[in-house]
Amino acid sequence: MSTIFSKILAGEIPCHRVYEDEQVLAFLDVAPLAPGHLLVIPKEAKARLDELSDESAAAIGRVLPRLCRAVVAETGAEGCNVLQNNGTIAHQAVMHVHFHVIPKFADGRGLDLVWNAAADPDAASRAAALRHRLGVESASD
Ligand code: DGP
């Protein structure tokens, strides 16, 4: 499956590259929510995070903290959001795994987030079912 990010990885489309290693590329988002908004992508061409190999996930995990530090230090932001969308319903537009690193400024620039928290009355059984699905321990607390 080819996406605009495959073309960036192949050098067929230009981007402002910030970081690259054998498994990961980071570059500036063409439509930034704030200056310094980065995209961090695996070289492995998978659409969603749940499809990604452990090796690629680990490679991204290794470099994300360093990229966050660089973005915050360089832009003078107060903090940053790391956002990763999976599926059209979840606002994914480019079907190649990517992490957004979005600096958040005191004046409000950055990710404008509405967090509609709602308590789950079935939290205990849900956690147990998830543990069971993950095979990490017995289904009981
Ligand atoms: P998402 O909604 O999570 O799939 O975000 C996709 C992001 O990719 C969006 O913020 C804009 C960015 N983007 C799309 N096309 C290009 C491109 O050709 N170059 C760069 N640098 N970014 C792109």
Side-chain angles (χ1 to χ4, degrees):
M1 184 195 54
S2 182
T3 67
I4 197 96
F5 292 171
S6 313
K7 294 188 169 68
I8 286 176
L9 282 168
E12 295 166 7
I13 289 179
C15 70
H16 294 294
R17 288 178 186 237
V18 169
Y19 174 87
E20 183 167 13
D21 63 31
E22 281 183 7
Q23 290 157 298
V24 178
L25 177 69
F27 52 97
L28 292 178
D29 193 307
V30 78
L33 293 182
H37 178 164
L38 282 187
L39 296 174
V40 187
I41 69 171
K43 293 189 174 177
E44 184 182 5
K46 289 287 162 52
R48 298 165 68 122
L49 186 61
D50 52 276
E51 299 168 341
L52 198 59
S53 68
D54 286 355
E55 290 70 26
S56 288
I60 288 179
R62 264 196 302 277
V63 76
L64 263 178
R66 198 153 26 120
L67 292 171
C68 289
R69 285 194 293 273
V71 165
V72 167
E74 183 58 32
T75 61
E78 294 289 311
C80 70
N81 292 96
V82 176
L83 178 70
Q84 202 278 314
N85 300 327
N86 294 283
T88 307
I89 188 71
H91 302 283
Q92 183 178 9
V94 179
M95 296 300 156
H96 183 125
V97 173
H98 52 282
F99 289 74
H100 297 260
V101 177
I102 310 166
K104 185 69 180 180
F105 292 88
D107 63 11
R109 286 175 299 152
L111 181 65
D112 199 3
L113 197 57
V114 178
W115 195 275
N116 291 323
D120 180 0
D122 302 317
S125 60
R126 202 173 312 283
L130 285 167
R131 288 196 297 273
H132 183 68
R133 188 174 287 274
L134 289 164
V136 290
E137 55 184 286
S138 73
S140 60
D141 271 327

